[in-house]
Amino acid sequence: MGNGDSRVRGIAARAGGWSARHRWAAVGIWVLFVVLAMGLGSAAGRVDVKESDQLKGETHTAAKIIEDAGIKEPASETVLIQAKGGRLKATDAEFKSAVDAVVKAVDGTGKVTDVKSPYVTNTISKDGRSALVQFDMRGDSETAYERVEPVLKAVAGAQKEHGTLRIEEIGSASMNKTFKDAFGDDFKKAELSAVPVALGILLIAFGALVAALLPVALAITAIMATMGLMGVVSHVMPMSDTANSVMLLVGLAVGVDYCLFYLRREREERAAGRDAQTALQIAAATSGRAIVVSGITVCVAMAGMLFTGLVTFQGMGLASLIVVAVAMVGSVTVLPALLSLLGERVEKGRIPFLRKAMERRAARTGGESRFWTAVLRGVLAKPLVSVLVAAGALLAIAAPALGMKTQNLTLDQEFGDSLPIVQTYNRVNDAFPGGSDPAEVVVKAKDINAPEVKSALADFKARAISSGASRGPVEIKLHDAQNIAYVYVPLVGGSDLDKAGASLEKLRDEVRPATLGKVDGVQAPITGQVAGSQDFNDQLGGAVLPVFAFVVVFAFLLMLLSFRSLTVAITSILLNLLSVGAAYGILVAVFQHGWGASLVGAEGVGAIITWLPLFLFVILFGLSMDYHVFVVSRIREARLRGRTTRDAIQHGVVTTAGVVTSAAVIMVAVFAIFGTLSMQSMKQMGVGLAAAVLIDATIIRGVLLPAVMALLGERNWYLPRWLHRLPDLTHDESAEVITHSVRRDEGERLGV
């Protein structure tokens, strides 16, 4: 199986050995790195994603025109005045009195500008029972939600005076304020609660406070360093709050997992009677190597997001890649140094009843899981049946994914009808289809007031309605100094994104070419919420194949080089794809079909948010490799030590079952926290990740992997002769060889 002494010193073994010998230097370097990274990030400051960089296509072109012109669009607000019942119409005196009261009240706050009466703008519904008072917030649109409170109070006062009418405000500022008040702390609470949840599970797993704190400390320092590095990197690749949140999620998951793998192996070797130095060196060469292989594979998967061309996704991918790389480096450098420094003190803070229970269980089972031993006995006795049953079950779970419907969720899908402002949004859309989210045509000309441009604008306005794309009113706002005009077109279809999308296509493909398209030197990109959603979907759809191919091909190559086995590389890819497929199936069953949706508070969603399938594929493909590499490395190690493949499978799975279970429980618990959030997109992400990790750590690693390997037998280690020229990234992981190497090195050091 290879020359042990010459091959034992892999990068993880060398790093672990150096850190253990120079422990204070290793800890000092790590602390210095974290402090420097945070300092550099603080000094550089984070560059956030600009609106003009968010998307390509027309949305990008429109944002760039506005940005270059220096136009600051104010936050627009609308007050809906609507008869609750009866025959009251907008032409009645009582209705007019309410409109006058609203105009006077909002104008009197001093916080608004450009207040427009519906009788001037003709924003009165077809049935005459609804009207809209429109105005803009003064100041920066980004912070308008901080200043909208007095306006909301003024509108509420008008409502009290006119009880026979419904008077409600909606707009970007009021919606932002409502959502921040209701859900603003949701994500922060989830992030903060993830750490104590992980610590609690680690306490149960280790039975000692110091041992439980180490993985959490490593994960937190890796996250702190990454936050600093993100500030520096953001000057090249702009970042967002979403990238930060995903980084925290991934950083906590892999940081804890890597440390857990390493620490468990070191404790296992010490329990087997090895001295502290040998135990640490074995952990470095075995679990350390698995961490390096897994970390590189996860980094490659995260790098797949860079191929989307979507700046938000690219930021998420780069931030995740950095935190995984930092956690991986920390696990194979500072962790062995800390373990060397702590020695027996890693067992400090023992929880008596847990510790005794663990010791009794270890004495009975020899450190192997009784549950998984029993499962493995059945799996290895009938591997073909096990493969058919497990794969069949997973394919059945994945089946609903074939009918997956993805879309950008509407307001009521995302938040439900629990918030009054969501109901207001629906009422405005019912009375004025598309009025709350109109298409915006950004018209740029050499002279916006030239007769041919004015004629084309008027023609566009008329044709937008005559074509059936809009029922009006179409509003034109001129910015003479910048030679730019905004044309606001309410789309037929309103909040029905499919119908609104068809209306948008009419504007882009029929109305615009026949009007504005005939004037030389005129640009007229169409943007707005519906257009942005469509441009995002188009760009994301074009990215699926390149991302999928990149992740799968590079993960395959890494597994091939790391295990020198074509069979292991192929099975790892297939099993990961099966795991991702099952996660998709659960998402569709719960959120699209509503099976068990009440259990997670997801009734009536009916679709999967557009970005989630690709995001889940990349994240899950990376995280699934953690367990796969760890388990297969242990099986290969046992095979190198002379066991038969069947015995090696049994040994590898049952000895890793405890650590894989602990790691999976932590990941599932952390992800499940995000499944409790109010926003359906976050809920879908949390449920999808938690379900996939649970399936991966149980059915895939506990049943399918050993059953498939048992069926393949010696073919697990097959490498065609023509592939022997590939670089050899394997290292002899035999504990006996490592022990011999450590003793030889110690003898040489002492001159023996």
Side-chain angles (χ1 to χ4, degrees):
M1 299 296 289
N3 183 338
D5 282 6
S6 65
R7 297 173 55 191
V8 67
R9 298 296 185 176
I11 187 170
R14 290 198 301 271
W18 185 91
S19 296
R21 291 192 303 274
H22 307 86
R23 45 203 186 183
W24 283 113
V27 172
I29 291 168
W30 178 256
V31 171
L32 184 63
F33 164 67
V34 173
V35 171
L36 279 176
M38 292 176 66
L40 285 171
S42 178
R46 194 181 83 181
V47 177
D48 289 330
V49 179
K50 291 189 288 188
E51 187 179 347
S52 59
D53 293 330
Q54 291 274 15
L55 293 170
K56 306 301 179 188
E58 292 195 30
T59 308
H60 170 79
T61 306
K64 197 78 176 77
I65 289 171
I66 295 165
E67 188 181 298
D68 291 345
I71 298 171
K72 298 287 186 185
E73 285 193 88
S76 298
E77 291 287 299
T78 296
V79 178
L80 171 69
I81 302 166
Q82 189 175 64
K84 289 182 179 177
R87 299 178 181 177
L88 198 62
K89 295 284 183 79
T91 50
D92 296 332
E94 187 179 344
F95 200 108
K96 287 182 176 180
S97 172
V99 169
D100 291 341
V102 169
V103 170
K104 185 177 178 182
V106 298
D107 202 23
T109 63
K111 303 289 183 183
V112 307
T113 183
D114 200 18
V115 184
K116 298 172 189 169
S117 165
Y119 301 112
V120 174
T121 56
N122 195 31
T123 47
I124 298 169
S125 63
K126 262 189 171 183
D127 62 8
R129 296 178 62 249
S130 305
L132 301 178
V133 173
Q134 297 168 310
F135 55 91
D136 295 329
M137 293 294 299
R138 291 185 186 275
D140 185 2
S141 61
E142 295 290 325
T143 57
Y145 70 92
E146 297 171 357
R147 303 184 299 276
V148 78
E149 180 69 26
V151 186
L152 290 168
K153 285 181 178 176
V155 171
Q159 170 69 87
K160 282 182 183 176
E161 293 172 14
H162 299 85
T164 57
L165 294 163
R166 181 179 286 114
I167 301 175
E168 300 169 335
E169 182 177 345
I170 190 169
S172 58
S174 50
M175 286 168 74
N176 275 342
K177 176 174 170 50
T178 302
F179 296 144
K180 282 182 183 292
D181 289 349
F183 309 121
D185 294 331
D186 249 15
F187 216 91
K188 286 181 182 174
K189 285 176 185 173
E191 289 169 356
L192 290 173
S193 58
V195 173
V197 165
L199 182 58
I201 296 166
L202 286 166
L203 275 172
I204 296 170
F206 287 121
L209 182 61
V210 173
L213 282 170
L214 274 181
V216 175
L218 178 74
I220 290 173
T221 52
I223 288 167
M224 289 165 65
T226 303
M227 288 176 76
L229 294 175
M230 282 172 67
V232 177
V233 172
S234 69
H235 289 264
V236 178
M237 174 73 69
M239 294 290 175
S240 65
D241 288 337
T242 308
N244 200 52
S245 298
V246 170
M247 182 276 291
L248 285 166
L249 196 67
V250 173
L252 186 62
V254 299
V256 168
D257 270 14
Y258 291 167
C259 195
L260 188 61
F261 292 163
Y262 207 108
L263 190 51
R264 264 293 181 88
R265 184 59 188 265
E266 190 266 351
R267 284 168 56 124
E268 182 186 322
E269 294 301 330
R270 282 171 53 204
R274 304 190 192 278
D275 62 82
Q277 183 189 0
T278 306
L280 199 51
Q281 191 64 42
I282 291 171
T286 55
S287 291
R289 176 187 176 275
I291 287 166
V292 171
V293 174
S294 172
I296 293 171
T297 310
V298 176
C299 286
V300 166
M302 299 306 174
M305 289 198 206
L306 301 176
F307 290 84
T308 60
L310 295 160
V311 177
T312 303
F313 263 64
Q314 289 173 327
M316 286 193 293
L318 196 54
S320 302
L321 186 156
I322 294 170
V323 80
V324 171
V326 171
M328 176 184 71
V329 171
S331 297
V332 297
T333 56
V334 73
L335 183 57
L338 287 171
L339 290 174
S340 180
L341 276 170
L342 289 168
E344 294 294 333
R345 286 171 293 183
V346 78
E347 306 290 351
K348 287 281 187 184
R350 294 185 179 189
I351 302 170
F353 67 93
L354 275 177
R355 192 69 191 166
K356 286 177 182 176
M358 289 170 66
E359 286 170 356
R360 284 197 300 270
R361 186 169 69 246
R364 285 197 310 269
T365 63
E368 297 186 348
S369 166
R370 283 197 301 174
F371 172 78
W372 286 112
T373 300
V375 170
L376 258 291
R377 193 177 297 120
V379 168
L380 297 179
K382 295 184 177 178
L384 182 59
V385 173
S386 300
V387 169
L388 292 175
V389 171
L394 289 178
L395 287 171
I397 293 170
L402 295 173
M404 182 187 287
K405 176 187 176 185
T406 60
Q407 66 176 56
N408 288 308
L409 302 183
T410 58
L411 206 61
D412 52 345
Q413 285 176 314
E414 183 72 273
F415 296 102
D417 56 3
S418 57
L419 295 178
I421 205 162
V422 175
Q423 297 164 28
T424 303
Y425 175 85
N426 290 332
R427 289 188 191 109
V428 171
N429 260 313
D430 290 341
F432 304 90
S436 55
D437 292 314
E440 297 176 29
V441 189
V442 179
V443 183
K444 179 176 173 59
K446 291 176 183 176
D447 179 5
I448 202 69
N449 289 304
E452 65 272 20
V453 176
K454 284 202 161 187
S455 173
L457 282 168
D459 198 12
F460 180 91
K461 180 176 178 178
R463 289 207 187 196
I465 296 171
S466 64
S467 69
S470 175
R471 296 196 186 102
V474 176
E475 182 189 354
I476 299 176
K477 184 190 257 186
L478 293 173
H479 291 272
D480 296 322
Q482 292 88 358
N483 284 312
I484 288 173
Y486 287 164
V487 184
Y488 298 98
V489 186
L491 296 171
V492 168
S495 58
D496 184 326
L497 294 179
D498 291 335
K499 290 181 181 176
S503 298
L504 176 70
E505 289 303 312
K506 277 186 184 177
L507 284 184
R508 282 179 166 177
D509 300 340
E510 297 174 22
V511 177
R512 180 176 55 188
T515 55
L516 296 165
K518 291 184 175 180
V519 182
D520 289 338
V522 168
Q523 285 180 275
I526 302 179
T527 185
Q529 185 173 325
V530 177
S533 174
Q534 196 166 93
D535 289 348
F536 178 85
N537 292 346
D538 291 345
Q539 196 169 341
L540 194 64
V544 169
L545 195 56
V547 172
F548 183 90
F550 174 83
V551 172
V552 170
V553 169
F554 272 83
F556 171 81
L557 288 174
L558 280 168
M559 295 300 287
L560 181 64
L561 296 175
S562 299
F563 290 100
R564 297 285 290 179
S565 166
L566 185 62
T567 311
V568 167
I570 292 171
T571 53
S572 67
I573 298 299
L574 293 177
L575 291 178
N576 274 12
L577 290 175
L578 193 55
S579 175
V580 172
Y584 285 171
I586 290 170
L587 275 176
V588 172
V590 174
F591 293 95
Q592 190 171 313
H593 299 317
W595 304 342
S598 59
L599 299 175
V600 293
E603 299 97 331
V605 179
I608 308 301
I609 192 161
T610 309
W611 55 265
L612 190 60
L614 187 61
F615 173 82
L616 276 184
F617 169 76
V618 171
I619 296 286
L620 292 176
F621 211 87
L623 295 182
S624 293
M625 280 298 182
D626 268 5
Y627 305 143
H628 192 89
V629 170
F630 191 65
V631 176
V632 175
S633 291
R634 199 62 183 268
I635 292 170
R636 181 178 177 276
E637 179 189 341
R639 181 74 185 85
L640 287 171
R641 292 167 66 178
R643 290 177 183 252
T644 64
T645 295
R646 193 182 188 85
D647 285 345
I649 294 166
Q650 170 89 18
H651 175 77
V653 173
V654 297
T655 52
T656 56
V659 68
V660 168
T661 301
S662 300
V665 168
I666 290 168
M667 273 204 197
V668 170
V670 169
F671 294 148
I673 291 170
F674 290 84
T676 65
L677 300 185
S678 308
M679 293 172 64
Q680 288 298 327
S681 53
M682 292 297 104
K683 198 182 289 288
Q684 289 183 6
M685 183 185 80
V687 170
L689 287 169
V693 169
L694 187 61
I695 288 169
D696 197 74
T698 53
I699 300 175
I700 298 285
R701 307 302 157 210
V703 179
L704 259 181
L705 175 63
V708 168
M709 291 188 80
L711 281 175
L712 291 168
E714 289 304 309
R715 285 168 293 184
N716 280 297
W717 320 113
Y718 170 69
L719 185 71
R721 190 178 298 276
W722 57 276
L723 287 177
H724 284 193
R725 299 176 191 171
L726 288 172
D728 187 353
L729 300 186
T730 62
H731 297 283
D732 195 330
E733 294 159 333
S734 165
E736 281 74 16
V737 172
I738 295 165
T739 304
H740 170 70
S741 177
V742 171
R743 286 175 182 162
R744 183 201 64 197
D745 291 351
E746 184 67 12
E748 288 173 357
R749 189 176 67 82
L750 296 172
V752 178

